[in-house]
């Protein structure tokens, strides 16, 4: 069976432990996470997780259903990459003598990246792009010496007016209930575990 | 609005849910809660002797009655002792609520005395869990927890409450409405999937039903019978599905799976359409997935969509509650009788009946003992079992014909489940006779609960199938590890003296001729009774599908391995 990556997008309740529940599910079921990105959304109390899963084509269905079983997961869908905008941000610190700057900048320009920090021996390059483009830039920079690097993991949204939003599954009344009184106010832990 | 302590809010909330029995064990972190029990006499607290038993008792209580089972433990070791019971209840989708105390809020995360990260520990084994950090959240949390445990695919929900939250004062506000955002409860199936399923079933020549625990959990035995009768479709049960259809029903062909009958397993393998109802295509029931029946079309009705396609490719997944979906399907299918197919199965059954018979002769076998217990106790009784050979023989030879009659640990396979589960079942159903069929190994894991039964006047009849071995492990060592018996022979205490030590009746049965009298005597005794059945030592459970083999590779015997 061919191995592939699948981009799963989940809206989750912003509770302590929700990341733990999701990562624990992946570990337990033997699903392979390539990347996981979490951030806030337009709706207070709701975060979006974008999870890239590696595995055979039928795994996305199980991943999606198992995630949906988690009580804290509000909605989940697998995004078709052709019909989505998929991006990742990378910061790459490259060894760079002053006389090499021009050359490196030319490479960065081709990829529409930018230089965000310069020292006498290094530059930091920032690029937001699809994973393939990032990989291509990294290959082109490798000969100069990559000192260190960080990538955010993929984030994605469906193209066009279609949305993955909480309201797809609830009536206006339910929505109000969930937003106003339906959720527990969080107590403070002595050490923030969020 | 009334101000109350967190402890009162918790107990008040449980009362609102109709909880009248809690199995628990006190300790430091739950002292403020225990302090308030006397003020809430509507809730009866059963003091167990080990927290694991509290959990299994809540589990047995729930399975016997269909109501929410509740167990309570203190922080740290009390809480970790619940983990097996929590996992057991969740694996078999039993509606249970587990409440634990924890160290005071200021000590959480500081490795306080008797602190365990029990929400972290149970996270992968529960349907959902909560750490409640303020008293004002308790009522809503308990309402939500019970709602999650008892709806949809039922399961174990755990609520952890720090000690000082029990003391904190807050307004008691019982939520009138519970709704959880990421949680939807499937009910009826959508019309399209019903149409599709009906078309597949109507076109079938050799259809078969796999009826699982969902039939019992959803109280859908009547709906199952009507559906099967209209479609003329034979029914096989999973282990936990036993009781979903009476064994003497014309379309009932008994248990399938690793120790299912030859005819059941071959029927499963020869069918052209498989209709899974409230079951999860578990490996013990299905054998080797790839060869279970690769050409059959699978219609799978389950309340949990994640079960569709998890283990086997499902042509027609139907999401819904079997109790609601079965009438939809019954209306949509044509009346059939499948005469030839049923005749084929009947012939198979009559040709292979011998491999599912109580061994002839006058030796005292487990098969004989359990079939006699079932015969004397009858269908109104409740039977629990542990895990292993005696469990399989109980499933094979007891007449399990009523939902909630048979309570056994299926998914997790927990030895030691039998005694506390029986105690819980008896607490839920005081007017029924409760028998627990025990192995001598499993019995020794949890028999400390006899003391609880004595305190609580729970007259459970404990039938130990004493063969001096961990029988199923021994069987596997014999068959798959060249007779290399390692750590399976077990010395036993004198079980009759154990009974005496607890002040209850103990009866030793060492000969077949004593069985009936012993059962009668135990049934007539008003208290708990231990029956020590000294059964043949090296008996094997047949038929058997070896681990990793296909159902159609069922081995029927030898009835007895001569050594």
């Amino acid at each position: 069976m061919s191995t592939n990556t699948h981009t799963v997008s989940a809206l989750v309740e912003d509770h302590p432990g929700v990341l733990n529940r999701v990562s624990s599910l992946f570990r337990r079921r033997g699903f392979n996470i390539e990347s996981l990105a979490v951030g806030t959304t337009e709706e207070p109390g709701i975060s979006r997780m974008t999870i890239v899963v590696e595995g055979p084509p039928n795994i996305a269905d199980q991943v999606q259903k198992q995630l949906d079983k988690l009580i804290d997961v509000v909605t989940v869908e697998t995004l078709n990459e052709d019909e989505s905008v998929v991006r990742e941000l990378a910061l790459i610190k490259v060894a760079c003598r002053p006389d090499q700057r021009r050359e490196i900048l030319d490479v960065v320009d081709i990829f529409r990246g930018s230089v965000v920090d310069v020292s006498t021996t290094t530059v930091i390059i920032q690029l937001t792009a699809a994973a393939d483009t990032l990989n291509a830039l990294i290959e082109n920079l490798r000969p100069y010496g990559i000192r260190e690097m960080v990538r955010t993991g993929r984030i994605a949204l469906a193209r066009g007016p279609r949305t993955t939003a909480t309201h797809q599954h609830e009536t206006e009344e339910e929505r109000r209930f969930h937003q106003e009184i339906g959720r527990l106010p969080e107590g403070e832990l002595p050490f923030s575990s969020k | 609005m009334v101000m109350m302590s967190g402890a009162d809010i918790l107990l008040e909330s449980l009362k609102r849910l109709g909880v009248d029995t809690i199995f628990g064990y006190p300790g430091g972190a739950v002292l403020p809660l225990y302090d308030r029990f006397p003020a809430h006499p509507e809730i009866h607290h059963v003091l167990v002797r080990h927290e694991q038993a509290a959990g299994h008792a809540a589990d047995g209580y729930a399975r016997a009655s269909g109501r929410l089972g509740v167990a309570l433990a203190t922080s740290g070791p009390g809480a970790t002792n619940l983990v097996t019971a929590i996992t057991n209840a969740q694996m078999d989708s039993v509606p249970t609520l587990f409440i634990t105390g924890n160290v005071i809020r200021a000590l959480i995360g500081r490795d306080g005395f008797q602190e365990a990260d029990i929400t972290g520990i149970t996270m992968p084994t529960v349907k959902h869990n909560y750490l409640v950090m303020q008293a004002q959240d308790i009522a809503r949390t308990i309402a939500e927890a019970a709602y999650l445990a008892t709806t949809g695919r039922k399961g174990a929900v755990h609520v952890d409450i720090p000690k000082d939250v029990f003391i904190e004062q807050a307004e008691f506000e019982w939520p009138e409405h519970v709704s959880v955002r990421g949680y939807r409860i499937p009910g009826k199936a959508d019309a399209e999937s019903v149409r599709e399923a009906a078309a597949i079933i109507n076109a079938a020549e050799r259809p078969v039903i796999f009826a699982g625990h969902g039939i019992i959990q959803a109280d859908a035995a009547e709906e199952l019978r009507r559906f099967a009768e209209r479609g003329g479709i034979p029914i096989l049960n999973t282990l936990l599905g036993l009781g979903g259809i009476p064994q003497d029903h014309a379309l009932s062909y008994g248990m399938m799976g690793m120790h299912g009958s030859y005819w059941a397993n071959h029927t499963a393998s020869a069918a052209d359409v498989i209709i899974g109802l409230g079951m999860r295509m578990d490996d013990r029931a299905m054998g080797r997935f790839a060869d279970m029946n690769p050409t059959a079309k699978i219609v799978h009705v389950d309340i949990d969509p994640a079960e569709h396609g998890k283990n086997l490719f499902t042509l027609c997944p139907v999401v819904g509650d079997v109790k609601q979906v079965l009438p939809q399907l019954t209306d949509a299918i044509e009346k059939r009788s499948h005469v030839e197919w049923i005749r084929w199965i009947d012939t198979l059954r009559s040709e292979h009946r011998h491999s599912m018979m109580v061994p002839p002769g006058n030796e005292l076998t487990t098969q004989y003992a359990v079939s006699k217990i079932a015969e004397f106790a009858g269908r109104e009784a409740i039977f629990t079992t542990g895990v292993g050979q005696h469990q399989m023989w109980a499933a094979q030879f007891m007449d399990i014909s009523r939902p909630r009659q048979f309570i056994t640990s299926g998914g997790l396979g927990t030895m030691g489940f039998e005694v506390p589960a029986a105690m819980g079942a008896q607490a839920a159903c005081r007017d029924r006779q409760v028998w627990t069929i025990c192995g001598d190994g499993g019995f020794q894991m949890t028999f400390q609960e006899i003391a609880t039964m004595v305190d609580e006047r729970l007259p459970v009849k404990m039938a130990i199938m004493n063969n001096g071995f961990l029988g199923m492990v021994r069987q596997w060592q014999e068959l798959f590890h060249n007779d290399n018996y390692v750590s399976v022979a077990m010395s036993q205490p004198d079980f009759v003296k154990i009974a005496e030590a607890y002040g209850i009746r103990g009866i030793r049965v060492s000969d077949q001729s004593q069985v009936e009298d012993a059962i009668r005597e135990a049934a007539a005794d008003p208290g708990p009774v231990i029956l020590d059945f000294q059964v043949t030592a090296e008996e094997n459970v047949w038929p058997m599908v070896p681990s990793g083999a296909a159902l159609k590779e069922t081995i029927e015997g030898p009835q007895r391995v001569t050594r």
Side-chain angles (χ1 to χ4, degrees):
Chain A
M1 231 181 285
S2 67
T3 296
N4 222 326
T5 65
H6 314 278
T7 307
V8 179
S9 181
L11 291 173
V12 303
E13 300 227 36
D14 187 14
H15 289 164
V18 62
L19 184 60
N20 195 352
R21 285 182 209 278
V22 170
S23 57
S24 159
L25 167 73
F26 277 72
R27 176 193 53 75
R28 184 165 92 78
R29 299 269 177 197
F31 302 146
N32 232 339
I33 301 184
E34 194 179 284
S35 75
L36 190 158
V38 199
T40 56
T41 62
E42 73 286 358
E43 195 176 330
I46 297 286
S47 299
R48 186 185 294 272
M49 286 190 184
T50 310
I51 307 159
V52 179
V53 193
E54 211 182 69
N58 60 349
I59 206 154
D61 182 58
Q62 259 300 302
V63 168
Q64 188 175 324
K65 285 169 168 177
Q66 293 293 351
L67 272 175
D68 211 15
K69 263 171 87 164
L70 294 178
I71 307 298
D72 284 338
V73 172
V74 181
T75 64
V76 51
E77 71 171 336
T78 304
L79 294 172
N80 179 332
E81 294 196 15
D82 295 336
E83 293 165 17
S84 311
V85 179
V86 185
R87 290 292 180 271
E88 197 176 331
L89 167 69
L91 295 173
I92 310 159
K93 189 181 286 180
V94 182
C96 175
R97 296 188 309 270
D99 64 306
Q100 290 175 305
R101 274 184 203 147
R102 194 61 263 162
E103 205 177 313
I104 288 178
L105 267 174
D106 282 348
V107 174
V108 172
D109 279 345
I110 293 169
F111 286 91
R112 298 174 205 275
S114 51
V115 173
V116 292
D117 181 72
V118 180
S119 76
T120 52
T121 54
T122 59
V123 289
I124 296 179
I125 292 152
Q126 169 192 311
L127 179 65
T128 302
D132 288 352
T133 314
L134 279 179
N135 292 339
L137 172 65
I138 289 162
E139 283 318 304
N140 278 281
L141 293 174
R142 209 177 283 286
Y144 298 97
I146 294 175
R147 291 290 179 78
E148 60 181 353
M149 185 173 88
V150 59
R151 295 170 73 152
T152 55
R154 258 182 257 179
I155 56 170
L157 280 183
R159 290 183 190 275
R162 198 170 64 81
T163 60
T164 317
T166 53
H167 59 74
Q168 284 177 337
H169 296 283
E170 51 193 11
T171 63
E172 201 41 51
E173 195 188 345
E174 282 174 332
R175 186 177 176 76
R176 222 172 303 120
F177 177 85
H178 289 140
Q179 287 182 340
E180 285 165 19
I181 57 166
R183 295 318 310 172
L184 302 168
E186 298 299 342
E188 287 292 309
L189 284 167
F191 309 112
S192 177
S193 67
K194 268 198 176 176
Chain B
M1 290 294 166
V2 196
M3 293 296 279
M4 286 185 188
S5 71
D8 284 315
I9 293 176
L10 173 62
L11 293 170
E12 201 54 50
S13 302
L14 291 171
K15 284 197 294 201
R16 301 280 175 115
L17 293 167
V19 172
D20 56 15
T21 306
I22 295 179
F23 302 91
Y25 204 102
V30 285
L31 276 174
L33 177 60
Y34 275 80
D35 191 52
R36 299 304 299 158
F37 266 111
H40 300 267
E42 302 91 331
I43 295 181
H44 177 58
H45 178 270
V46 175
L47 174 62
V48 298
R49 297 301 188 270
H50 189 292
E51 291 89 350
Q52 181 192 355
H56 290 324
D59 184 326
Y61 179 97
R63 292 193 211 213
S65 65
R67 299 169 62 199
L68 179 71
V70 184
L72 167 65
T74 189
S75 65
T80 55
N81 276 346
L82 278 181
V83 172
T84 300
I86 292 174
T87 312
N88 188 78
Q90 173 66 7
M91 282 284 269
D92 289 347
S93 310
V94 182
T96 39
L97 174 61
F98 295 88
I99 300 166
T100 53
N102 210 328
V103 297
I104 59 168
R105 284 169 289 187
L107 277 178
I108 287 183
R110 294 175 189 245
D111 302 323
F113 174 67
Q114 291 195 329
E115 180 186 0
D117 173 19
I118 193 63
T119 45
I121 289 170
T122 63
M123 212 171 259
T125 72
V126 291
K127 183 166 173 181
H128 196 55
N129 64 9
Y130 297 87
L131 169 60
V132 184
M133 292 299 279
Q134 355 183 48
Q136 70 180 72
D137 296 340
I138 291 176
R140 176 165 297 281
T141 305
I142 294 296
E144 263 190 34
Y147 169 70
L148 292 175
T150 56
T151 58
R153 180 171 179 179
K154 292 161 185 165
V157 179
H158 166 230
V159 178
D160 193 27
I161 306 177
K163 181 175 186 176
D164 54 336
V165 175
F166 286 123
I167 301 164
E168 189 177 65
Q169 295 281 318
E171 279 178 0
F172 176 70
E173 191 185 354
W174 183 244
E176 280 167 29
H177 181 55
V178 177
S179 173
V180 179
R181 203 157 198 188
Y183 182 67
R184 290 168 293 280
I185 304 168
K188 281 191 164 187
D190 66 83
E192 182 53 37
S193 56
V194 171
R195 255 198 306 278
E196 228 174 275
I200 295 169
I201 296 166
N202 287 337
E205 286 174 10
R206 302 183 307 281
V208 66
I209 291 167
F210 296 174
H213 204 200
I215 297 292
I216 317 275
Q217 298 272 30
D219 288 321
E222 192 49 32
E223 288 79 0
L224 168 66
R225 188 186 57 76
R226 283 204 207 106
F227 169 71
E229 284 176 358
R230 177 158 178 84
I233 309 169
I235 301 170
L236 307 180
N237 286 122
T238 66
L239 174 68
L240 292 182
L242 288 171
I245 186 87
Q247 307 244 315
D248 52 10
H249 188 280
L251 290 169
S252 172
Y253 288 90
M255 186 174 73
M256 61 183 303
M258 182 171 270
H259 293 290
S261 67
Y262 182 92
W263 59 89
N265 288 344
H266 279 262
T267 299
S269 308
D272 66 344
V273 168
I274 288 167
I275 307 154
L277 300 175
M279 47 86 68
R280 58 186 176 86
M281 307 284 173
D282 163 67
D283 61 286
R284 282 296 191 270
M286 296 294 112
R288 186 166 68 237
F289 293 129
D291 297 312
M292 195 277 290
N293 184 336
T295 57
K297 294 175 176 163
I298 297 182
V299 175
H300 188 185
V301 182
D302 204 279
I303 200 160
D304 179 0
E307 293 303 341
H308 294 135
K310 186 181 77 179
N311 291 343
L312 289 170
F313 172 74
T314 308
L315 180 68
C316 180
V318 182
V319 179
D321 177 348
V322 278
K323 192 173 178 69
Q324 296 179 54
V325 177
L326 279 172
Q328 288 180 285
L329 282 175
T330 308
D331 287 345
I333 60 168
E334 291 158 12
K335 185 153 179 56
R336 289 283 160 81
S337 47
H338 298 291
V339 179
E340 271 180 51
W341 169 229
I342 294 209
R343 191 178 301 136
W344 182 84
I345 304 170
D346 283 340
T347 307
L348 205 62
R349 178 163 61 180
S350 56
E351 285 170 3
H352 294 270
R353 182 79 87 174
H354 63 87
S355 63
M356 274 274 257
M357 303 272 265
V358 172
N362 48 17
E363 279 189 302
L364 175 54
T365 61
T366 303
Q367 296 94 311
Y368 181 85
V370 296
S371 61
K372 280 291 166 193
I373 290 170
E375 186 187 321
F376 278 68
R379 288 186 176 177
E380 291 310 309
I382 293 172
F383 307 119
T384 75
T385 82
V387 171
Q389 287 187 319
H390 71 278
Q391 176 190 35
M392 291 298 113
W393 280 318
Q396 290 178 340
F397 295 108
M398 297 183 94
D399 170 29
I400 310 300
S401 290
R402 178 179 64 79
R404 308 192 182 284
Q405 183 189 1
F406 189 61
I407 295 173
T408 193
S409 168
L412 194 62
T414 310
M415 284 175 66
F417 171 76
E418 58 268 54
V419 171
M423 175 170 86
Q426 185 78 80
C429 306
R430 297 234 171 210
D431 52 348
R432 287 189 193 273
Q433 209 177 103
V434 178
W435 282 80
T436 174
I437 313 299
C438 312
D440 48 301
F443 180 78
Q444 290 187 76
M445 287 185 170
T446 47
F447 76 76
Q448 77 283 341
E449 296 310 319
I450 296 171
T452 313
M453 294 182 205
V454 170
D455 286 352
E456 296 286 325
R457 300 177 191 285
L458 296 170
V460 173
K461 314 304 172 195
M462 292 161 273
I464 305 171
M465 301 302 138
N466 183 1
N467 60 4
F469 278 113
L470 297 174
M472 190 58 92
V473 183
R474 186 207 55 73
Q475 176 169 343
W476 283 50
Q477 289 182 346
E478 178 193 320
L479 298 176
F480 309 120
H481 296 270
N482 302 317
D483 291 335
N484 188 22
Y485 287 0
V486 181
S487 300
V488 285
M490 259 193 174
S491 68
Q492 314 301 6
D494 183 329
F495 290 124
V496 173
K497 281 193 178 150
I498 296 271
E500 284 163 13
Y502 282 102
I504 64 170
R505 190 171 178 81
I507 305 170
R508 181 160 297 119
V509 187
S510 45
D511 193 271
Q512 205 191 75
S513 62
Q514 303 167 326
V515 169
E516 295 189 5
D517 283 347
I519 294 170
R520 258 193 295 264
E521 209 178 306
D525 193 287
V529 177
I530 291 179
L531 295 102
D532 176 13
F533 287 94
Q534 304 203 313
V535 294
T536 46
E538 296 185 49
E539 200 79 19
N540 285 336
V541 182
W542 303 109
M544 178 175 195
V545 179
S547 185
L551 285 187
K552 56 177 174 281
E553 291 159 21
T554 304
I555 303 169
E556 292 191 270
Q559 276 287 328
R560 181 178 304 272
V561 174
T562 36
R563 299 183 44 77

